[in-house]
Every structure is written in structure tokens, then in C-alpha cells.
């Protein structure tokens, strides 16, 4: 056994095992962070919509708008679409890289009586687009004759139907039509509906990531989680894996009671335990072989010197015993390695495939929801920002604005965490795979990374994560946060000005009462009486009162101007920030939906190749 590996190879093996264990430990932590970030992002979408609705409820009584201008008679055609995205990784990599630049995203078409449902990240669908009616309507983008229309006031486009295959054939997408003017409250209500739909889009993926949904409580926040804690208790686990196709997820089978070994969390934790065991076994084998070399060298020297027979025999038995222990150690390493391979191929790989398909489904749904929101907020430009009310900002409205700022800040933070946690997840996994695909046996059946479907899948996935155009989306959310913060600051300035006005008004009231008291005490004669001292006191008091009255009028003008600035800034900032943020997140969601679709298709191809090989063998 001592001749199987050189001393250098054995040290390399120990080093490799330590690195494998380190990567798997990182992967366990990254899995929990990924799960928590996923749940927090979906929650942030829901909370942002609710905060916007609360903000609009407080703002709406303060805003007025004029009747909308007539829609333009001629609608300019949308910009030419980009070339269709292929299913190869090279294509979506180029797209991702392009979108990480600081170049502003092209604006969507203006809202009118006939909107084309176009966005700069996706090719136009085949078939003629058409609309009809004077309210919200939904028209299939692939077939003009098949329509789904809502004729009630304020109806919003329903989500498009899912594709029926994994390829990129044109899917039915909604066309949103509106010729009825809506106020701020109506627009935000519609936005909130699609925030709720967006939050629901990751529900099934949450199940695969083992996030409890029934209690309404999310386990952990990605920072203080026990790194080896599986977020579901045994009664919430599922038997086996959820089944996906390239359009979403199908059913799952529940069990009652015991923990299910096939859960993703369980698989990852058990892999880590096996890696720890393997590392100890390899270190033990190295120690035995080092001891064997030492004893063998001592025996050789004793035999050369023809030393005491009994001592030589004793040394031989010690060497033979070490060789036996080395043999057992090698078998243990082989057995542990096979357990890791078994878990990796039979449990981890299918789970990763399902995760990729779940991500594709989620980001496709997010794209569809955000795309509708992108067009809904275009109606904000028709709210008149000239004839604004002079109603002051209420305390309720100030609190709702602060809450909105907080929720958008959480949206931004959770988005950044979502992208980062997925990068950490796939990077730690890919790093482990690079090392774990090395086998300790010299069997000819050992797989290389080129032959490994799991490694190919993870390489593609890591490419998606590394090239994600998250900077554009992140900056879009941050830009919205900045304009809402500007409203908060302006509301504070308005309140500060109100306090100044109140202070001067109270002082004026106080000085006026003192003046009246003097006039009441000395009577009208003080105006022309001989007592100059008394007349001077009254005149001085009267001058101060008049100066204060002028100051109060001046502060009142400043306060009224501050109110007008607040009302105008509020509307202008919404008109500027909301379209930009939805354009940014729509573009990101579309890029990732296409990217994960490409990875999904690659996984399907690899599975077909594996199936063919198994049949031939």
C-alpha cells in the first residue's frame, strides 16, 4: 500500500481534502443564505407594494389633476427589436455583459389608446398585435383573434399563459390598453396587484429551498442563521423532489412525520459530514503511511546490520500491522468517496436541476409582472403637475413616506443579497466540484469534469450568476430610493417651516395681547396725551407687533411655497422614479429568465445524453 502514492501525492491528497471540506462548509452556509435571501426578496416586493399603496392613500387627497389630454393620433413605431436570443450560453453572456454598462435603458413606448407591449430586452413576438375598446384590455400578442378583455373600470392585464415547451417559441404576452385617465390612487392600486403577483412567483421555489410559507414566518435573515440549520422541521418536509418542466413546477408529494433524506438541505449537510469524515480518514492514512515508511526504514537498517533476530521479527510484525491498517484505511477512504459520489449524483444533481428550472420559472414570472408594471406607471405622466393643491402634508403622510423609504431600502438591500447569495452558493459548489471529481481510486470508470453533467450544469449556472446585469437593476431601485428620500427631506423642510410659522404666530399673538392690555389700561388718551413715556411704550409695543405681523406674513408665504414644492416634488419624483425602476428590474428579470432557460435546456440535453449512454451500456 505504501507504494501506491508518493509522499508528494499523499500531501497533495490531504491538501485537496481540506480544501474540499472548506468549500463544502461554505456551501452549507451559502445554501442557508440563498434560501433566506430568496424569501426576503419576495417579502420585500410585497412590502414595497403595500407601502406604495399606503403612501398613495395619504397623498391622493392632497393632489388634483386635470382631464387627460387626447391621445395622439399617430403612434410612433417602437425601436427595432434586438436579435432573438439563442439557447447557447455565449449568447446570453453577451446580453448580460451589455446590460451591465452604464448606458441608459431605452424608454418604453408612450401610453396611448394602442400600446405595443414592447421592452428593450426581448424580441417582439410573432403575429400582429391589436387592441380594441375604451378600457383596460388584454390581447394575445401571438393571435389577434384570441383576446381576453376586461371591460370594467380599471381592469389590469392578466398574466400571460405559460409556454408549453422548453424552447423559445413565442409565448402569449398581454397587451395593455388604456384610454381612461386614472388618478394616483388607481395607478398605485394596479401596481400593488402586480407586486403581489411578483411576490407569489417564487412560492414554489421557496418550497424547494425549504422555506415555510404556511405560518407566514420566514426562518432567518441570511446573517444569523446557524450554518447547519435546515429551515424546515420534519412535518414540513416533502418526499423526494418537486418535478419541473421548462414552464414551471408540477406537484409534490408530502409525507407525515420523519425527515426526508432527499431534501436539499439534508443532502448538503450530509455531504459536509461525509467530507469531514473523508478528511479525517485521509489524514489518518497519511499518518499511517508516514509511520510505515519510518518503521520500514528501521527494519531495513536492522536487516543490513544483521541485528538481533527477535528485534527484527518484532519490527517485521509492526510493519505488517501498519500495512494491514493502511489497507483498512484505504478501504474506508474508498467507501466514503463512493458515498459522496452517490449523494452527488443521485440526490444533489437532480436537486440542482430542479433549482435551475425553478429559477427560470420564477424570473419569467417576475419579468411578466414587472413588464405590466412598467406600462402601468407610464400613466403617471398624464397626472397634471401644475394645478396642485395647497394642502399641507399631514403627519400620517409623513409616516407613510418614511415607511415607503424604509421598504424601498429593504427592496434594494434584499435584491443585492439575492444576487450575492446565489453567486456565493454556486461559486462554493463549483469550487467543491472541481476538487471532488478527483477520485482516490484508480478505477478506469472515474469521471472527469468533461464527462460530469453536474459540473457542466454548475459551470453554466456560475456563468449566469457572474454575468448578471444586477448593477443596472440595483441602481434603478436605488434611484427610486433617492427620489423618495428627497420627498422625505422636503416634507421635513415643510414641517420645519410650519414650526417657524407657528412660533412667530404665537409670538405675534402674545405681543398683540400685551399691546391690547396697555391700550386698555391707559385708554385712548395715550395716543395724544402729554405723558410721553407712556405713549412711547405703547408706540414701541405697537411697532414690534406690526413688525411681527409682517414677519408672520413672510413666514406664511414661505410655508405655502414649501407646501407647493412638496406637492410638486412628490408627483414629479414619482413620475421620474417609478418608470425607471420598473424598466430596470424588467430588463434584469428578462435577462435572467432567458439565461436560466438556456441552462435548463443544457440540463435537458445532458440528461438525454446520459439516458442514451445508460441504454447503450
Amino acid at each position: 500500500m505504501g507504494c501506491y502514492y508518493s509522499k508528494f501525492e499523499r500531501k497533495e491528497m490531504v491538501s485537496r481534502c481540506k480544501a474540499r471540506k472548506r468549500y463544502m462548509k461554505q456551501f452549507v452556509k451559502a445554501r442557508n443564505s440563498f434560501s433566506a435571501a430568496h424569501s426576503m426578496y419576495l417579502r420585500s416586493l410585497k412590502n414595497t407594494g403595500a407601502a406604495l399603496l399606503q403612501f398613495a392613500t395619504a397623498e391622493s387627497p392632497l393632489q388634483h389633476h386635470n382631464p387627460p389630454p387626447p391621445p395622439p393620433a399617430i403612434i410612433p413605431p417602437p425601436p427595432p427589436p434586438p436579435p432573438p436570443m439563442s439557447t447557447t450560453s455565449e449568447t446570453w453572456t453577451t446580453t448580460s455583459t451589455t446590460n451591465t454598462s452604464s448606458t441608459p435603458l431605452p424608454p418604453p413606448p408612450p401610453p396611448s389608446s394602442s400600446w405595443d407591449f414592447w421592452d428593450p430586452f426581448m424580441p417582439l413576438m410573432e403575429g400582429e398585435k391589436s387592441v380594441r375598446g375604451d378600457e383596460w384590455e388584454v390581447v394575445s400578442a401571438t393571435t389577434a383573434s384570441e383576446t381576453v378583455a376586461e371591460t370594467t373600470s380599471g381592469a389590469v392585464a392578466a398574466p400571460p399563459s405559460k409556454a408549453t415547451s422548453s424552447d423559445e417559441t413565442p409565448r402569449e404576452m398581454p397587451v395593455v390598453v388604456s384610454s381612461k385617465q386614472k388618478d394616483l390612487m388607481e395607478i398605485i392600486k394596479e401596481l400593488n396587484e402586480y407586486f403581489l403577483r411578483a411576490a407569489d412567483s417564487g412560492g414554489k421555489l421557496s418550497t424547494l429551498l425549504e422555506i415555510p410559507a404556511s405560518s407566514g414566518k420566514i426562518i432567518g435573515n441570511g446573517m444569523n442563521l446557524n450554518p447547519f440549520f435546515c429551515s424546515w422541521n420534519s412535518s414540513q418536509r416533502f418526499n423526494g423532489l418537486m418535478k419541473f418542466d421548462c414552464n414551471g413546477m408540477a406537484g409534490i408529494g408530502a409525507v407525515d412525520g420523519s425527515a426526508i433524506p432527499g431534501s436539499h438541505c439534508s443532502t448538503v449537510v450530509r455531504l459536509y459530514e461525509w467530507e469531514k469524515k473523508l478528511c479525517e480518514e485521509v489524514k489518518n492514512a497519511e499518518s499511517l503511511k508516514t509511520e510505515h515508511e519510518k518503521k520500514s526504514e528501521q527494519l531495513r537498517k536492522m536487516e543490513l546490520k544483521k541485528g538481533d533476530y527477535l528485534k527484527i521479527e518484532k519490527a517485521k510484525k509492526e510493519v505488517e500491522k501498519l500495512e494491514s491498517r493502511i489497507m483498512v484505511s484505504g478501504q474506508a477512504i474508498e467507501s466514503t468517496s463512493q458515498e459522496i459520489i452517490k449523494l452527488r449524483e443521485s440526490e444533489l444533481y437532480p436537486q440542482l436541476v430542479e433549482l435551475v428550472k425553478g429559477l427560470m420559472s420564477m424570473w419569467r414570472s417576475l419579468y411578466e409582472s414587472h413588464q405590466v408594471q412598467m406600462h402601468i406607471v407610464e400613466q403617471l405622466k398624464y397626472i397634471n403637475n401644475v394645478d396642485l393643491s395647497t394642502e399641507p402634508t399631514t403627519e400620517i403622510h409623513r409616516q407613510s413616506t418614511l415607511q415607503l423609504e424604509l421598504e424601498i431600502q429593504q427592496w434594494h438591500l434584499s435584491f443585492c443579497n439575492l444576487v450575492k447569495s446565489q453567486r456565493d452558493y454556486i461559486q462554493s459548489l463549483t469550487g467543491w466540484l472541481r476538487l471532488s471529481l478527483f477520485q482516490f481510486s484508480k478505477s478506469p470508470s472515474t469521471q472527469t469534469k468533461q464527462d460530469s453533467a453536474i459540473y457542466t450544469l454548475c459551470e453554466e449556472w456560475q456563468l449566469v450568476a457572474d454575468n448578471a446585469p444586477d448593477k443596472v437593476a440595483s441602481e434603478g431601485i436605488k434611484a427610486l430610493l433617492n427620489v423618495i428620500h428627497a420627498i422625505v427631506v422636503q416634507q421635513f423642510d415643510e414641517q420645519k417651516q410650519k414650526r417657524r410659522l407657528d412660533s412667530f404666530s404665537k409670538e405675534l399673538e402674545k405681543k398683540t395681547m400685551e399691546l391690547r392690555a396697555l391700550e386698555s389700561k391707559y385708554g385712548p388718551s395715550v395716543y395724544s396725551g402729554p405723558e410721553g413715556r407712556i405713549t412711547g411704550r405703547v408706540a414701541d409695543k405697537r411697532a414690534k407687533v406690526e413688525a411681527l405681523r409682517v414677519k408672520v406674513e413672510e413666514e406664511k408665504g414661505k410655508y405655502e411655497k414649501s407646501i407647493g414644492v412638496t406637492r410638486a416634488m412628490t408627483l414629479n419624483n414619482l413620475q421620474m422614479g417609478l418608470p425607471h425602476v420598473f424598466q430596470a428590474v424588467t430588463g434584469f428579470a428578462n435577462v435572467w429568465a432567458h439565461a436560466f432557460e438556456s441552462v435548463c435546456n443544457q440540463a435537458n440535453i445532458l440528461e438525454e445524453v446520459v439516458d442514451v449512454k445508460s441504454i447503450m451500456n
Side-chain angles (χ1 to χ4, degrees), residues 420-454:
K420 181 183 182 301
S421 65
Q422 189 170 160
R423 283 188 179 127
D424 293 342
Y425 173 92
I426 192 61
Q427 286 173 359
S428 58
L429 175 57
T430 307
W432 175 74
L433 286 172
R434 289 192 186 103
L435 299 175
S436 67
L437 289 169
F438 170 83
Q439 301 299 322
F440 293 102
S441 67
K442 293 194 173 183
S443 168
S445 62
T446 299
Q447 288 183 324
T448 65
K449 70 175 185 179
Q450 289 81 10
D451 298 327
S452 173
I454 188 172

Side-chain angles (χ1 to χ4, degrees), residues 127-179:
E128 180 184 358
K129 296 175 185 181
S130 63
V131 295
R132 56 183 173 81
D134 57 358
E135 300 290 347
W136 285 110
E137 294 187 1
V138 186
V139 184
S140 169
T142 55
T143 311
S145 61
E146 298 175 3
T147 62
V148 181
E150 293 287 348
T151 57
T152 58
S153 175
V156 186
S161 60
K162 302 295 184 181
T164 57
S165 64
S166 62
D167 59 13
E168 294 181 359
T169 55
R171 299 188 299 270
E172 289 190 357
M173 295 295 294
V175 175
V176 182
V177 183
S178 176
S179 60

Side-chain angles (χ1 to χ4, degrees), residues 96-219:
S96 301
T97 304
T98 302
N99 283 282
T100 56
S101 68
S102 59
T103 305
L105 299 174
S112 66
S113 60
S114 177
W115 288 355
D116 273 338
F117 210 77
W118 176 88
D119 79 88
F121 292 87
M122 188 156 185
L124 289 173
M125 301 301 175
E126 293 180 359
E128 180 184 358
K129 296 175 185 181
S130 63
V131 295
R132 56 183 173 81
D134 57 358
E135 300 290 347
W136 285 110
E137 294 187 1
V138 186
V139 184
S140 169
T142 55
T143 311
S145 61
E146 298 175 3
T147 62
V148 181
E150 293 287 348
T151 57
T152 58
S153 175
V156 186
S161 60
K162 302 295 184 181
T164 57
S165 64
S166 62
D167 59 13
E168 294 181 359
T169 55
R171 299 188 299 270
E172 289 190 357
M173 295 295 294
V175 175
V176 182
V177 183
S178 176
S179 60
K180 176 188 175 183
Q181 174 64 22
K182 290 180 172 63
D183 61 22
L184 178 65
M185 189 64 186
E186 291 173 314
I187 293 171
I188 299 301
K189 275 184 178 180
E190 291 165 2
L191 278 183
N192 184 50
E193 288 297 319
Y194 280 86
F195 267 120
L196 292 174
R197 295 189 185 192
D200 289 341
S201 66
K204 292 180 180 179
L205 184 59
S206 297
T207 304
L208 189 61
L209 289 171
E210 300 169 85
I211 301 169
S214 58
S215 65
K217 296 180 180 179
I218 303 298
I219 302 296

Side-chain angles (χ1 to χ4, degrees), residues 367-495:
Y367 163 69
E368 291 164 355
S369 293
H370 291 328
Q371 192 186 40
V372 176
Q373 289 176 312
M374 183 173 68
H375 289 278
I376 290 172
V377 295
E378 285 296 309
Q379 296 173 95
L380 287 170
K381 67 176 64 174
Y382 289 110
I383 297 179
N384 195 302
N385 61 354
V386 177
D387 184 21
L388 300 173
S389 91
T390 56
E391 292 294 323
T393 302
T394 64
E395 181 60 27
I396 292 177
H397 192 25
R398 280 190 291 272
Q399 293 301 319
S400 69
T401 310
L402 287 170
Q403 184 66 29
L404 177 60
E405 180 185 26
L406 180 65
E407 296 302 344
I408 296 175
Q409 185 178 45
Q410 182 60 36
W411 184 17
H412 177 260
L413 177 63
S414 61
F415 174 81
C416 295
N417 286 341
L418 181 67
V419 177
K420 181 183 182 301
S421 65
Q422 189 170 160
R423 283 188 179 127
D424 293 342
Y425 173 92
I426 192 61
Q427 286 173 359
S428 58
L429 175 57
T430 307
W432 175 74
L433 286 172
R434 289 192 186 103
L435 299 175
S436 67
L437 289 169
F438 170 83
Q439 301 299 322
F440 293 102
S441 67
K442 293 194 173 183
S443 168
S445 62
T446 299
Q447 288 183 324
T448 65
K449 70 175 185 179
Q450 289 81 10
D451 298 327
S452 173
I454 188 172
Y455 188 83
T456 303
L457 174 72
C458 290
E459 274 191 324
E460 293 291 316
W461 188 349
Q462 183 168 348
L463 200 58
V464 171
D466 289 344
N467 290 282
D470 54 297
K471 186 176 180 181
V472 174
S474 173
E475 289 180 349
I477 301 173
K478 193 171 183 179
L480 177 62
L481 176 62
N482 289 338
V483 299
I484 297 300
H485 178 70
I487 297 173
V488 170
V489 172
Q490 176 57 35
Q491 288 179 350
F492 176 80
D493 289 343
E494 179 189 327
Q495 179 69 7

